[in-house]
Amino acid sequence: MRFIRLMEKKGLWGYIRQLLGFYKNPDYVEDYLREADAQSTRNLTAIVMAIEIWMLIRQLVRHWERFPTVASFFKSTWGYWVLLSAAGLLCLYSILYLCGRLNKSKKFIRLFIFLYFLLGLYFGTSTSLFDLSRGRMITCFLTMIMTGSIIVIWRPYISLLVTLIPAVAFVYIVNHFAVGRDGKPWHMSEAEIVNYTTFVITLAILEISAYIQRHKEAWKSYMLEKAAVTDDLTNIPNMRKFEEVAAKYCKKCLAEGKHPVYIICDITNFKTYNDRFGYETGDALLKFMAQIISVEFEGEPFARHSNDKFVILTAKEDYIEKGRRGRDWFRAERSVEVYLDLKAGVYPVTHDNVEPRHAVDRASYAMSLIKNVDEEPVKFYDETLQNQYRLRQYVLNNIDKAVQNGYIKVYYQPVIWAEDGTLCGFEALARWIDPEIGFLSPSQFIPLLEEIRQIYKLDKCIYESVCQQMRDCLDKNLPVLPTSMNFSRLDFELMDAVAELESLVKKYQIPKNLLHVEITESALSKDVKGLQEAMDRLHGLGYVIWLDDFGSGYSSMNVLKDFKFDLLKIDMEFLKNFSGNDNAHKIIQSIISLSKSLNMQSLTEGVETQEMVDFLRECGCGRLQGFFFGKPMPYEEILAKIADGTYKLKSGS
């Protein structure tokens, strides 16, 4: 059946060519076969060396009286010494080959094997002619051609040539130049020729069979290796293969004075496309993207990075034009889906000791900063981004250390009663004061910690620091006011935030009315059921819950409908461009009225002017927070300002 399938696919002549080995092998397969040749050669030459040494010892022991001098011994046994030396050199060469100690000379392995094979044929022919003159058999030639066939396992047509041509030549030499014991010309009989021919043909068939088996094993190994370095879907290299070649490519380009760049590109809104048309259509789009890259960056290292991302390494000076052309091709092919587009981050290589993975990460970081693809489809990783990236990596690598060593500090921003301007509490905010890089603002680490799902470590640290500070002040009879602490969605998802808070309250013996839980509006958009259960637990345990950043999202009214809060905190965005903005005034008035109708207190953040204070007081907003009253500061500063009268407390507080 296999023969029939091959015949149907390639025809008779194609089948014969395939059978004889007239085809091109991939480099991997050729290397595999050459290594197999080296292994066979090492083993055979080691055996030949042992046999030759044994023959030399045998000659010396049995006929030592014939060798009065060392020179006479060498002269009589020169053939053994030649074969021993040749086998030794070839054995050493094979061992070095297998140990990877050879570079350019690796390609000569088959040449050296062939020369050794010819030497063996010469030795076998001359010895067999000598044996015939003494009335013996042609065993030596048969032995040499048989041992040679063990190492000359090459393409079938080569095996046929190197076996049949010497065999025919040997018959010709014997029939024309051999003499028998009586000194007369010696000719092979018909029976001897038949037996001899059968032996040679069998030998050739065994060589071809051995090659076919080796070739199958080589292809099997090649396909496994290819599968390991090829993306299953797009059939282009994967990141493992890319990383293997990228470092060498960069080193070569830099040595030639070229300037390689890493490019990572992403299909925007691919998930929407996938959801709309299905995974098969989405897979087809990824294959099309791989085709574009294969055409535009042919001969350059590239790979599918992950999902809908692809990475390219190129030293072509026109790579910007190639990228633009590829993007136009992509958008023209999918012109109906206008939301589909490509964006890319570029990392220029300046030295050859940057690991490919780190270079791709930096290009990816640049790409992640693209917000509007139409305005900025490509972003370069420059010095500014490098500083940002280093800070990013520092945060990633040192958050645990910062928490453990007390680099995370709590700063308190005052909250004021609108009615009389007295201090009514604080919001606890995180600041990172690092001994190595100094002060870090929240915008430099909080979004990143949320992105990598490590924000709970920071928040947990803040909760304990606040409780610890309160306990210290209570013990020293210093002023203590209610403090609100921010709880994110990830706090409830990655730890039992309610249990953690309860544990700290019990550990430091803090009255629950001093701790207020702030939950951002955005946190309530996912896992509604889980958040509702957590809030019910908090209310049941006696905690006050605030809704933070009200109005910053799209689901504000739904949040008020589905969740119960004790205080509504109006987002500071409403106070931007406040002066003379009637719409802003009306919206804020409506929100404050809404909070009252829902039995919630109100707090407005972002207060910066006396005009805002007066307006919010008139609207009935209960609490105010903003730079007008003070920026976030250490608690020691708060106490100092209370002491000097900057902040006043309600009588009895």
Side-chain angles (χ1 to χ4, degrees):
M1 289 298 293
R2 185 171 183 272
F3 172 77
I4 293 173
R5 286 196 298 270
L6 283 171
M7 287 286 288
E8 290 175 347
K9 186 177 180 181
K10 301 183 178 181
L12 179 60
W13 176 237
Y15 176 76
I16 293 173
R17 286 171 57 84
Q18 180 76 18
L19 186 63
L20 293 177
F22 288 100
Y23 45 74
K24 180 175 175 59
N25 283 324
D27 292 340
Y28 180 92
V29 173
E30 283 298 320
D31 288 341
Y32 186 100
L33 294 173
R34 276 194 288 266
E35 185 171 328
D37 292 341
Q39 291 173 345
S40 298
T41 302
R42 177 198 59 193
N43 298 337
L44 176 70
T45 51
I47 294 171
V48 170
M49 288 167 61
I51 292 173
E52 297 304 316
I53 291 172
W54 175 70
M55 293 293 290
L56 286 168
I57 294 173
R58 183 170 175 272
Q59 288 289 323
L60 187 62
V61 171
R62 294 183 62 181
H63 307 291
W64 63 271
E65 69 281 354
R66 292 166 47 189
F67 311 121
T69 63
V70 174
S72 63
F73 176 69
F74 277 104
K75 183 177 180 180
S76 179
T77 58
W78 68 271
Y80 298 125
W81 288 106
V82 169
L83 278 178
L84 176 62
S85 301
L89 290 172
L90 189 55
C91 184
L92 177 62
Y93 181 87
S94 301
I95 292 172
L96 293 174
Y97 183 101
L98 295 171
C99 292
R101 302 292 295 274
L102 304 175
N103 294 318
K104 293 182 179 180
S105 60
K106 285 181 69 172
K107 60 185 178 183
F108 297 122
I109 179 71
R110 285 175 174 166
L111 174 62
F112 293 149
I113 290 173
F114 185 65
L115 292 175
Y116 179 77
F117 176 65
L118 292 179
L119 178 64
L121 290 179
Y122 169 78
F123 182 80
T125 301
S126 58
T127 302
S128 291
L129 291 176
F130 177 80
D131 287 344
L132 286 174
S133 67
R134 296 292 185 271
R136 304 181 192 133
M137 304 288 290
I138 57 173
T139 307
C140 188
F141 177 80
L142 296 177
T143 300
M144 296 310 296
I145 196 172
M146 183 171 65
T147 54
S149 67
I150 295 174
I151 56 176
V152 187
I153 301 177
W154 299 338
R155 303 288 183 103
Y157 71 89
I158 298 177
S159 294
L160 287 173
L161 290 175
V162 298
T163 303
L164 298 181
I165 291 176
V168 173
F170 180 72
V171 173
Y172 178 85
I173 291 171
V174 167
N175 286 337
H176 288 79
F177 300 102
V179 294
R181 192 171 186 178
D182 55 4
K184 295 180 180 181
W186 191 89
H187 300 280
M188 295 178 70
S189 67
E190 186 175 339
E192 288 173 326
I193 291 177
V194 170
N195 290 333
Y196 174 77
T197 302
T198 302
F199 174 83
V200 170
I201 291 174
T202 303
L203 193 60
I205 292 173
L206 290 174
E207 287 181 68
I208 293 172
S209 299
Y211 173 81
I212 291 173
Q213 183 60 35
R214 277 188 184 179
H215 191 259
K216 284 182 179 178
E217 292 172 357
W219 265 96
K220 183 178 179 181
S221 179
Y222 169 66
M223 295 307 293
L224 289 172
E225 181 67 20
K226 186 178 178 182
V229 297
T230 303
D231 179 61
D232 292 338
L233 176 64
T234 60
N235 206 32
I236 65 173
N238 60 17
M239 285 304 295
R240 175 185 167 187
K241 181 64 176 179
F242 181 83
E243 290 174 5
E244 284 179 7
V245 302
K248 294 178 183 177
Y249 179 89
C250 283
K251 190 172 184 178
K252 179 176 178 292
C253 289
L254 291 170
E256 295 172 353
K258 298 178 181 177
H259 305 286
V261 296
Y262 284 86
I263 305 170
I264 185 165
C265 57
D266 178 33
I267 303 174
T268 61
N269 298 313
F270 177 74
K271 186 177 185 303
T272 301
Y273 182 84
N274 229 5
D275 292 342
R276 182 178 176 187
F277 296 104
Y279 289 109
E280 288 188 10
T281 308
D283 289 347
L285 182 63
L286 294 175
K287 293 176 184 177
F288 176 62
M289 184 65 199
Q291 178 190 356
I292 292 174
I293 294 173
S294 301
V295 172
E296 293 294 340
F297 294 94
E298 184 179 6
E300 304 284 84
F302 57 82
R304 184 182 177 199
H305 180 269
S306 59
N307 298 328
D308 57 338
K309 295 182 178 64
F310 296 81
V311 62
I312 305 156
L313 177 58
T314 179
K316 302 290 185 183
E317 293 182 358
D318 61 342
Y319 70 90
I320 293 290
E321 178 58 32
K322 285 177 173 291
R324 185 181 295 113
R325 193 163 58 234
R327 183 185 179 213
D328 291 343
W329 183 5
F330 178 85
R331 294 202 297 180
E333 187 72 18
R334 293 292 185 274
S335 57
V336 177
E337 291 81 37
V338 293
Y339 53 87
L340 284 178
D341 206 339
L342 298 179
K343 63 178 180 178
V346 179
Y347 173 73
V349 180
T350 55
H351 48 83
D352 61 7
N353 61 349
V354 178
E355 290 187 15
R357 190 169 298 181
H358 292 164
V360 172
D361 284 347
R362 291 167 187 176
S364 183
Y365 176 67
M367 183 183 69
S368 70
L369 300 178
I370 297 174
K371 303 305 178 186
N372 189 322
V373 182
D374 289 329
E375 294 179 1
E376 187 184 33
V378 179
K379 193 167 187 68
F380 287 81
Y381 185 91
D382 54 19
E383 187 175 350
T384 302
L385 289 192
Q386 182 174 354
N387 293 333
Q388 292 178 9
Y389 183 80
R390 285 176 177 170
L391 180 60
R392 174 187 174 90
Q393 295 305 114
Y394 188 86
V395 169
L396 290 176
N397 297 331
N398 290 275
I399 178 59
D400 290 326
K401 181 179 177 182
V403 168
Q404 292 167 8
N405 294 347
Y407 304 155
I408 304 297
K409 306 293 185 183
V410 179
Y411 274 42
Y412 297 82
Q413 186 169 26
V415 178
I416 304 296
W417 289 112
E419 182 182 8
D420 58 11
T422 57
L423 192 64
C424 69
F426 313 101
E427 179 180 6
L429 300 167
R431 297 294 184 267
W432 186 334
I433 303 175
D434 196 274
E436 195 170 319
I437 59 175
F439 183 88
L440 291 174
S441 70
S443 62
Q444 292 176 303
F445 60 89
I446 288 180
L448 175 58
L449 293 176
E450 288 178 338
E451 177 188 332
I452 63 170
R453 300 170 66 83
Q454 298 292 299
I455 190 68
Y456 74 96
K457 295 179 179 178
L458 176 78
D459 288 345
K460 188 176 177 181
C461 173
I462 294 299
Y463 305 156
E464 178 145 20
S465 297
V466 168
C467 291
Q468 200 171 32
Q469 180 71 58
M470 282 187 174
R471 183 70 264 160
D472 186 56
C473 289
L474 288 169
D475 291 342
K476 295 177 181 177
N477 291 318
L478 296 173
V480 178
L481 292 171
T483 301
S484 65
M485 302 181 297
N486 291 288
F487 282 67
S488 72
R489 174 179 59 84
L490 291 173
D491 290 332
F492 293 101
E493 184 179 323
L494 300 174
M495 66 178 180
D496 189 342
V498 180
E500 290 289 343
L501 182 59
E502 270 291 283
S503 173
L504 292 172
V505 166
K506 291 177 181 177
K507 177 180 178 181
Y508 293 100
Q509 294 296 302
I510 305 298
K512 292 180 180 179
N513 65 310
L514 292 178
L515 297 175
H516 296 165
V517 176
E518 279 197 43
I519 300 176
T520 60
E521 182 186 335
S522 59
L524 303 166
S525 61
K526 296 182 179 179
D527 189 20
V528 174
K529 184 179 178 182
L531 261 296
Q532 185 68 69
E533 290 175 355
M535 289 175 62
D536 289 343
R537 287 173 63 196
L538 287 167
H539 273 135
L541 292 167
Y543 293 100
V544 172
I545 304 177
W546 294 8
L547 173 59
D548 191 16
D549 296 335
F550 179 80
S552 62
Y554 297 104
S555 58
S556 301
M557 295 306 170
N558 279 332
V559 166
L560 295 180
K561 174 176 66 73
D562 296 331
F563 296 92
K564 184 180 186 322
F565 294 95
D566 302 293
L567 181 143
L568 186 150
K569 193 171 185 180
I570 302 170
D571 189 73
M572 67 176 66
E573 290 295 321
F574 287 110
L575 292 181
K576 285 188 177 179
N577 303 317
F578 175 80
S579 184
N581 190 329
D582 289 339
N583 287 338
H585 294 180
K586 292 174 182 177
I587 292 172
I588 292 173
Q589 285 176 329
S590 299
I591 293 174
I592 293 171
S593 297
L594 177 64
S595 67
K596 289 179 179 178
S597 66
L598 294 174
N599 297 318
M600 289 190 293
Q601 298 179 50
S602 58
L603 183 157
T604 303
E605 57 182 347
V607 179
E608 297 182 355
T609 66
Q610 185 63 48
E611 180 189 1
M612 293 178 183
V613 173
D614 294 339
F615 171 77
L616 292 168
R617 184 183 295 123
E618 290 175 8
C619 290
C621 183
R623 310 180 196 202
L624 308 176
Q625 179 183 351
F627 287 174
F628 184 78
F629 305 106
K631 295 182 179 181
M633 62 192 84
Y635 202 76
E636 291 74 20
E637 267 189 61
I638 295 283
L639 292 175
K641 289 181 181 293
I642 291 174
D644 67 17
T646 302
Y647 294 129
K648 301 186 185 317
L649 302 177
K650 279 186 179 291
S651 45
S653 297

